[in-house]
Amino acid sequence: MGVHLDSSKGFGVSRLEVLEGPSGRRRRTKAERARIAAESMMPSVTVADVARKHGTTRWQIYDWRKQIRKGNLVVPESVAALPFFAELVVDDSATEASAAVPGSDLEIVVGDIVIRAGPGVDEGQLTRAIRAARAAAS
């Protein structure tokens, strides 16, 4: 709500104007929430800028991002097709294949490259291996 006071006559207030905006909170569809959350995940974009642009809060966008990770919101096809997003595919047959490789708890496939990591793998080493595999695959 905004208030405008007109005191052009030099004494007191001659006119009081009260401006009101839309009442209540805005309801967004699931598609809108997913699109806004996906926009906030783009490279060199900040959540605060996206929140200001769409008239919402950073915390709301963080919640929508969490809903995407849980599968409660679906990223639109136009955004999911961008190279910044990777589709997660769960293959149940991987449990049989991992039984054939003793001591391997994690298997990551990047293109034609398979990375297997045991329970004691160093996180930094695994990160470097994944980056190297991505670079080799592209």
Side-chain angles (χ1 to χ4, degrees), residues 64-75:
W64 295 340
R65 288 168 67 157
K66 185 194 300 185
Q67 289 181 29
I68 287 175
R69 286 191 302 272
K70 288 182 176 180
N72 297 334
L73 289 178
V74 178
V75 177

Side-chain angles (χ1 to χ4, degrees), residues 9-135:
K9 299 198 174 33
F11 59 93
V13 175
S14 62
R15 183 177 70 178
L16 175 66
E17 187 176 340
V18 178
L19 307 172
E20 290 190 37
S23 61
R25 27 181 231 180
R26 181 172 176 173
R27 300 272 182 195
R28 298 186 192 271
T29 65
K30 283 189 169 192
E32 287 176 309
R33 290 180 281 177
R35 184 182 46 77
I36 293 169
E39 180 181 336
S40 75
M41 295 179 198
M42 295 296 179
S44 71
V45 173
T46 66
V47 173
D49 289 341
V50 174
R52 271 191 296 278
K53 177 181 173 184
H54 295 285
T56 187
T57 65
R58 293 175 304 166
W59 308 117
Q60 187 65 67
I61 292 177
Y62 286 126
D63 183 57
W64 295 340
R65 288 168 67 157
K66 185 194 300 185
Q67 289 181 29
I68 287 175
R69 286 191 302 272
K70 288 182 176 180
N72 297 334
L73 289 178
V74 178
V75 177
E77 284 293 323
S78 60
V79 176
L82 295 173
F84 310 116
F85 291 91
E87 181 180 1
L88 174 64
V89 178
V90 178
D91 186 2
D92 291 336
S93 66
T95 54
E96 295 172 16
S98 65
V101 181
S104 178
D105 290 344
L106 176 66
E107 185 175 291
I108 301 170
V109 180
V110 179
D112 295 334
I113 301 169
V114 178
I115 302 170
R116 291 188 181 91
V121 70
D122 175 49
E123 183 179 334
Q125 185 180 12
L126 184 58
T127 301
R128 287 188 298 277
I130 293 170
R131 286 184 181 152
R134 283 184 178 164

